[in-house]
Amino acid sequence: MNLDKLLRNNIKALNPYSSARDEFSGEAEVFLDANENPFNAPYNRYPDPQQKELKIKIAELKNIAPEKIFLGNGSDEPIDIIFRAFCEPGVDNVVTIEPTYGMYQVAADVNNVEVRKVKLNEDFGFSAQKLLDAANLYTKVIFVCSPNNPTANLLDNSEILKLITGFDGLVVVDEAYIDFSPENSLLPELDKYENLIILQTLSKAWGMAGIRLGMAFAQPEIIHIFNKIKYPYNINILTQQKALELLDHLQEKEEWVKIIVEERDKMVKKLFKLPFVQVVYPSDANFILVKMHDARGIYEYLTEQKIIVRDRSKVTLCVDCLRITIGSPKENKKLRKALKNLI
Ligand SMILES: *Cc1c(COP(=O)(O)O)cnc(C)c1O
């Protein structure tokens, strides 16, 4: 891979904004460099633009060097930055699977970049070769998502590795749901593949969707590019503090994941027995995709019962499917009871 060739010229030439906190970040007593208000501590101060303390904590947790970590306002930020860094609007394209997470398409549309979609197989598996065949000279990035949203299945790791080794652009593997799956993250393999970008998030297993913290892992050269493009203070102090605090609760997170996975497996077994349910697809995530007679009607019925699920019945390969997030044991029971009342 030639990173210089992948980069847009304007980004190659970009002089990033240099903030007061970038220019001086050591110990001092009097800070009169950033036009901050001296009152209302600690909220008067700009946050650390490089999130050093938080990155050190995540580095320990993930067993990876801090220079290989980018933190964003959710995973959505690194997704957008990838387009802005590498894809020339109206010229370059990206390749992805279909169906998958909607933000790749939205970020592409915002940046006026073509998305070439390769349909998954009927069993929601994918073939690396088909994705490689869909790429051309203008393809800068291939996005895959494993476990995939909304199909809930892990993609075959050996196929993902074929993609990474067979493509001379960047491969993004979105692992938002990896904590719920029996398969390991690709993170330990990161150093073997200079073109690999792994996305993870605190929004799902860690239960912190509200504080907006997404992570991208890649080689330092790629992280350096992301840092040049991002807003200087993209992670606010409240988020940095809360993440530092809650990342200490690793055991609690693992307990939640265990409960959610147990509840998921129970939900699969019980929904399967309902007469109007046609398929409960196997799940490696914290949600299940369920095919049923009159999915839209059932969606509307559940809404009347004040239970909201996601209607995916118009999505490619998901005809008549609802996507159901696994909630608390009490919430899950409520859903099953409401569905049973339909019989
Ligand atoms: C939920 C989800 C994310 C997380 O996005 P955040 O912006 O970090 O909350 C990322 N990728 C996929 C596929 C998701 O479903």
Side-chain angles (χ1 to χ4, degrees), residues 22 39 97 124 243:
D22 280 317
F39 308 110
I97 52 176
F124 300 146

Side-chain angles (χ1 to χ4, degrees), residues 221-259:
E221 296 75 24
I222 295 175
I223 300 300
H224 177 70
I225 293 162
F226 293 179
N227 283 334
K228 273 180 33 168
I229 299 177
K230 77 178 184 75
Y231 291 156
Y233 302 108
N234 61 327
I235 311 293
N236 67 70
I237 52 172
L238 300 176
T239 295
Q240 292 193 44
Q241 283 170 1
K242 207 66 196 174
L244 272 169
E245 177 191 324
L246 293 180
L247 283 169
D248 275 335
H249 302 193
L250 177 63
Q251 222 177 338
E252 199 176 6
K253 169 224 153 196
E254 283 173 356
E255 193 61 32
W256 293 336
V257 168
K258 190 167 157 268
I259 295 170

